[in-house]
Amino acid sequence: MRMLLLGGLAAASLVGVAQAASSEGAMLVLKAPPAKAELIQDGALWRCTGTVCKAPTVKAMPAVRSCRKIVAELGAVSAFTWRGEALDAAGVEECNTAAKP
């Protein structure tokens, strides 16, 4: 019985780690494929496949600020999710118009 309980606790802790990791990353969808498939921005490694780019771990900073920095490097986005929170349409528009190359 004790082994079953310990096994259940171990499995639950692994699920918690997986959920925490996904809430520490970021994902975006570009309007056009990027010129480069990889980018390091603020210590995060972004990898792009087609128009979808992902970074498994990113710093805790405002999403719109981070979006502007990425857009300046990769191009305009149609969707942006930062540490588990997606920008709404107004946030995406602000990101695209405020980005400076």
Side-chain angles (χ1 to χ4, degrees), residues 7-81:
L9 290 173
S13 68
L14 288 176
V15 168
V17 168
Q19 289 175 343
S22 66
S23 68
E24 293 178 2
M27 190 272 307
L28 59 85
V29 178
L30 295 164
K31 290 186 177 183
K36 48 189 168 186
E38 290 186 353
L39 167 72
I40 296 176
Q41 182 69 277
D42 287 330
L45 174 60
W46 288 84
R47 289 199 171 125
C48 302
T49 303
T51 58
V52 176
C53 302
K54 297 179 183 179
T57 307
V58 294
K59 293 181 179 180
M61 60 177 55
V64 173
R65 176 177 171 232
S66 301
C67 183
R68 286 192 308 253
K69 292 176 105 176
I70 297 297
V71 165
E73 294 287 332
L74 297 178
V77 297
S78 58
F80 188 83
T81 302

